[in-house]
Amino acid sequence: MFPGTDTTGGPPRRSGPPGRGGPGGKGRGRPGSRPRRQESDFTRRRMQQDVIPDDLPESVTLEQPASIKDLSLALGIKQTALLKKLMNHGKLANVNSPLTEEITDILSVEINCEIILEEPKVLGSSLEELDKLVDSEEDLTLRAPVVTLMGHVDHGKTTLLDKIRESSITKSESGGITQHMSAYRVDKGDAHVVFVDTPGHRAFTSMRARGANVTDVVVLVVAADDGPMPQTEEAIEHARAANVPIVVAINKIDRAGANPDKVKARLAELDLAPVEWGGTTEMLEVSGITGEGIDELLEHLSLESEILELKANPKKNAIGTVLDARASTGQGNVITALIQDGTLRPGDAVVCGPAYGKIRTLRSTSGENVTSAPPSTPVEITGLNDLPEAGDRLYALDDAAKAKQIAEERQQAKAKSDRAERQKVTLEGLFETIDQAKVKEINIVLKTDVKGTLDVLKTELSNMKTEEVAVRVIRAGVGEISESDILLADASSAIVIGFHVTASDRARNEAEIKGVEIRTYLVIYEVLDETRRALEGMLAPSVAEEVQGSIEILKLFRSSKLGNIAGCIGRTGVLTRNDKIRLVRDGVVVHEGKLDSLKRVKDDVKEVREGFECGVVIQGYNDVKPGDIIESIKIIETSRKFDVSESLSE
Ligand code: GDP
């Protein structure tokens, strides 16, 4: 790693999983995904010195968005030197902090070099203007609601969707359907509803993480003979985090064991009380096999457009979102998109993510060519020069040349925007983010080892608020921090807090890739104190912990002298003899301490790497079991934070 990148005080990044403090705290971003920029010897030498060179140019021009790191690279100044200058002005920042007007002003003076920020030469922003245009009331008409089915596996989502579809298509159409579509529109009598078929919750969440919220209503499918299951709860959390209303479809009512009332009672415990019992959640009983109740469900869903006042302007150019894209031999790029506003027609010029083109064919999702697609219509289009991604926005423009220009500029800007990844919320960065008025709520995914502490922490955290910002616990559960926790946190810009629990390896990897912060604690007071301090912008310097490696206990050997010797195998990274260790059983931390001995065969060793066997004895702790994981923890003193506290206490 080249000097100067490590200003947050952490050690060089390694492939091992991040620990407390999470990846958000140390070197956010995708490890290894970008080759480091080659620096000249001169620049490298200079960056090793923590001083501002006196031979800087009079001015430097950077294209927005630019960070402190970009400035450091452009001028060959060590990042800590820049951060220190800011701290002298009482301004907390990190290497990824954007160059705001205030920061730019301070630094321009401090380093005696004018920092000029240029608007990126992308016309894309003019597209977002299109989203913001306010339509006149007389142009607006009601549009059909867009619905996503979610629920536990095997509760009948696919069967229900197929039945709905079957009941609504005419015979002539059915011949044309050859493949599974990611969306379709049902027009049956007065009922108009669009169904978006996102396999599992992952698609719903990852679309949302990209800022694309196409769903107006979530239909939660719950089997009448089974009741709410873990994925049902997960679906509820996702829908709530996205502020999307839920309609419950109690499915499989044809089954002998069906007990809809019991299901309703169980759902009421999850804060989904049925309307008939005085609650606010509509619950309809259906069968995906016999078709019973499906007309009522469609009818109810179609009413949502009035209830939710879903309106759009069919008179303007189309705006939509990509649901799916594939390359087809013969047809070129085939894109499934949902038209959300305006009307799309064959021949329209469109720009869509990095792609552009004129609509060559416009088909309904049942395969028929259509001459127009009004709001709330899923369509299949061809004619684009490239494949966009699910979640990319589609805009029709009057001017084909402009569409081309925007798409080309977007492609050039892509490399740059990859770098300026979405800035994630971290506890340390929280106050800064609040400062920039981006956050009004701090979302937390909370996992604990037992229900008792879960309830206490959930209540205490939920009650925390200052004038500007409140805490919102979007998921609270018992057990290890899982991949799905990270997914939810990513989509909701949440911080994951683990109390007496750790993250699974997969969850850690996912967190590292997505830049989600995981913080783990052993003392309730610390959780509350750090969160409160973060809210107040006074987070005290804390010592971060990073998991360097882990080993798994395979076998126990009893020794009359030493107690239990654990025969282990290295699972990830490196376990170091003298570092702190954490004993984890089923994702729950059962002990923290040190090792008494670490041996390979008969020799004492300093460390054990992934794949190697070893024998360990834990100091003062004998209750080890096969299957337990021992994690090696490095304490990382983040000097930046100590500096910060000093400057604050002065
Ligand atoms: P998904 O995983 O939620 O998409 O569930 P599927 O649609 O694959 O359904 C799982 C199983 O339940 C299949 O064997 C279906 O035939 C069955 N099933 C789904 N809906 C019903 C229903 O309303 N009644 C009955 N009896 N079986 C159903």
Side-chain angles (χ1 to χ4, degrees):
M1 110 183 276
F2 79 68
T5 53
D6 191 22
T7 50
T8 46
R13 264 197 112 61
R14 58 191 81 216
S15 57
R20 175 171 162 173
K26 291 170 282 300
R28 258 168 289 170
R30 287 152 213 259
S33 62
R34 276 189 313 271
R36 285 225 186 281
R37 195 201 260 223
Q38 290 297 310
E39 303 301 321
S40 69
D41 275 355
F42 171 72
T43 313
R44 201 175 301 133
R45 243 182 292 125
R46 197 156 81 170
M47 289 181 73
Q48 282 167 348
Q49 299 156 15
D50 213 352
V51 291
I52 306 287
D54 50 17
D55 56 350
L56 293 178
E58 267 180 25
S59 69
V60 59
T61 305
L62 296 166
E63 193 176 287
Q64 275 179 325
S67 63
I68 291 193
K69 193 162 163 186
D70 293 326
L71 178 66
S72 140
L73 289 173
L75 291 175
I77 303 178
K78 198 174 173 185
Q79 291 154 359
T80 38
L82 294 172
L83 294 175
K84 272 188 187 159
K85 291 287 180 202
L86 288 172
M87 261 177 231
N88 292 341
H89 285 259
K91 186 84 196 143
L92 312 187
N94 63 41
V95 291
N96 293 317
S97 299
L99 290 179
T100 58
E101 207 176 303
E102 189 190 357
I103 290 185
T104 314
D105 286 349
I106 296 174
L107 288 178
S108 288
V109 175
E110 283 287 336
I111 64 177
N112 200 16
C113 164
E114 191 186 358
I115 303 161
I116 301 163
L117 292 177
E118 257 185 3
E119 282 299 319
K121 295 179 215 73
V122 176
L123 290 170
S125 53
S126 60
L127 292 180
E128 273 125 43
E129 303 281 298
L130 293 177
D131 275 323
K132 291 184 201 133
L133 281 184
V134 182
D135 299 287
S136 69
E137 195 57 38
E138 71 248 28
D139 289 338
L140 291 174
T141 53
L142 284 177
R143 61 169 180 84
V146 180
V147 171
T148 299
L149 263 65
M150 291 171 95
H152 196 71
V153 65
D154 279 349
H155 278 195
K157 294 181 294 295
T158 318
T159 313
L160 205 52
L161 270 174
D162 286 349
K163 195 73 184 179
I164 291 170
R165 189 147 197 241
E166 193 186 296
S167 76
S168 66
I169 51 174
T170 60
K171 288 233 161 55
S172 65
E173 279 177 335
S174 60
I177 303 167
T178 47
Q179 63 177 58
H180 188 70
M181 286 291 180
S182 50
Y184 56 85
R185 184 179 157 115
V186 173
D187 294 298
K188 197 178 180 191
D190 287 338
H192 306 284
V193 184
V194 176
F195 288 89
V196 176
D197 186 6
T198 54
H201 305 155
R202 188 174 254 272
F204 177 81
T205 321
S206 56
M207 290 268 276
R208 202 161 70 79
R210 304 197 57 218
N213 219 0
V214 297
T215 306
D216 299 310
V217 179
V218 162
V219 168
L220 183 69
V221 180
V222 190
D225 58 349
D226 204 8
M229 298 298 279
Q231 279 167 286
T232 317
E233 292 189 34
E234 199 177 291
I236 297 173
E237 285 160 354
H238 281 296
R240 282 188 178 146
N243 284 327
V244 174
I246 297 173
V247 168
V248 175
I250 301 180
N251 190 32
K252 306 197 188 182
I253 48 157
D254 58 296
R255 285 231 170 133
N259 189 345
D261 278 344
K262 191 170 156 197
V263 173
K264 287 177 195 167
R266 299 258 322 273
L267 286 167
E269 287 168 18
L270 301 171
D271 284 338
L272 283 183
V275 170
E276 55 189 289
W277 296 358
T280 56
T281 309
E282 205 61 55
M283 300 199 184
L284 295 112
E285 297 174 18
V286 297
S287 166
I289 297 287
T290 68
E292 192 183 341
I294 284 183
D295 284 351
E296 287 80 3
L297 177 66
L298 284 176
E299 224 166 89
H300 176 77
L301 291 173
S302 68
L303 292 179
E304 291 287 342
S305 57
E306 276 176 61
I307 298 170
L308 300 172
E309 291 186 45
L310 304 173
K311 289 186 174 173
N313 174 7
K315 291 184 183 162
K316 65 181 179 188
N317 285 334
I319 300 179
T321 298
V322 175
L323 300 173
D324 212 356
R326 65 193 159 89
S328 142
T329 37
Q331 295 187 79
N333 298 319
V334 181
I335 286 119
T336 310
L338 175 70
I339 303 306
Q340 293 164 294
D341 208 349
T343 299
L344 188 68
R345 295 185 176 81
D348 281 353
V350 296
V351 53
C352 180
Y356 71 93
K358 277 196 175 175
I359 303 293
R360 195 167 60 225
T361 56
L362 179 66
R363 283 190 291 256
S364 72
T365 47
S366 51
E368 294 192 320
N369 284 315
V370 290
T371 51
S372 69
S376 283
T377 314
V379 288
E380 214 186 56
I381 55 177
T382 64
L384 298 195
N385 72 329
D386 200 353
L387 278 181
E389 282 180 50
D392 277 341
R393 299 280 280 158
L394 174 145
Y395 297 92
L397 302 174
D398 289 329
D399 183 353
K402 190 173 172 196
K404 179 174 182 210
Q405 191 188 356
I406 292 174
E408 283 174 352
E409 284 176 358
R410 277 186 173 179
Q411 276 173 346
Q412 286 162 12
K414 194 167 181 302
K416 174 111 185 160
S417 67
D418 277 352
R419 199 143 47 93
E421 280 174 53
R422 276 188 315 140
Q423 225 190 339
K424 294 283 173 183
V425 178
T426 64
L427 269 191
E428 267 106 16
L430 182 65
F431 192 65
E432 194 182 315
T433 326
I434 297 167
D435 217 19
Q436 291 161 15
K438 279 190 195 143
V439 172
K440 287 280 174 269
E441 265 177 345
I442 142 172
N443 288 337
I444 287 180
V445 170
L446 175 68
K447 297 301 285 278
T448 69
D449 55 342
V450 291
K451 184 88 171 50
T453 43
L454 183 75
D455 294 342
V456 173
L457 276 172
K458 189 179 166 191
T459 314
E460 292 284 332
L461 286 171
S462 305
N463 286 339
M464 251 178 216
K465 48 174 86 67
T466 67
E467 269 176 20
E468 286 89 22
V469 60
V471 172
R472 181 175 173 213
V473 179
I474 57 168
R475 169 180 292 175
V478 169
E480 186 175 56
I481 297 165
S482 67
E483 227 184 330
S484 99
D485 294 329
I486 305 298
L487 227 69
L488 178 64
D490 177 45
S492 319
S493 291
I495 294 161
V496 181
I497 289 186
F499 183 75
H500 279 254
V501 293
T502 58
S504 69
D505 285 344
R506 290 181 61 169
R508 275 205 192 108
N509 285 337
E510 194 80 19
E512 182 150 11
I513 291 167
K514 299 218 145 85
V516 170
E517 181 178 29
I518 301 175
R519 289 193 156 233
T520 55
Y521 297 88
L522 290 174
V523 187
I524 287 193
Y525 168 77
E526 269 184 26
V527 183
L528 301 178
D529 192 50
E530 284 201 10
T531 312
R532 186 175 51 75
R533 281 169 175 279
L535 287 184
E536 291 167 355
M538 303 173 28
L539 194 63
S542 65
V543 181
E545 295 180 348
E546 191 167 84
V547 179
Q548 303 290 302
S550 64
I551 58 173
E552 183 180 343
I553 302 183
L554 298 179
K555 249 193 194 164
L556 296 182
F557 304 92
R558 292 187 208 289
S559 147
S560 51
K561 226 168 64 196
L562 297 170
N564 278 336
I565 300 170
C568 307
I569 179 115
R571 285 288 179 226
T572 58
V574 186
L575 175 112
T576 313
R577 161 79 177 79
N578 292 327
D579 279 344
K580 181 175 155 183
I581 57 110
R582 205 148 59 184
L583 185 71
V584 181
R585 187 169 301 153
D586 300 326
V588 174
V589 180
V590 289
H591 175 74
E592 275 198 337
K594 289 231 150 203
L595 291 184
D596 235 353
S597 74
L598 176 65
K599 284 185 194 284
R600 287 211 359 96
V601 195
K602 289 220 154 43
D603 302 327
D604 281 314
V605 288
K606 285 212 175 90
E607 58 178 42
V608 172
R609 288 175 181 274
E610 189 178 329
F612 287 95
E613 293 184 346
C614 61
V616 306
V617 176
I618 299 178
Q619 218 171 65
Y621 192 83
N622 218 12
D623 178 28
V624 283
K625 295 202 166 73
D628 287 355
I629 302 285
I630 300 175
E631 292 179 341
S632 185
I633 315 282
K634 190 143 241 83
I635 310 279
I636 294 148
E637 298 196 357
T638 40
S639 57
R640 177 175 70 84
K641 284 183 274 166
F642 281 117
D643 290 352
V644 170
S645 82
E646 278 156 24
S647 71
L648 279 176
S649 57
E650 273 164 19

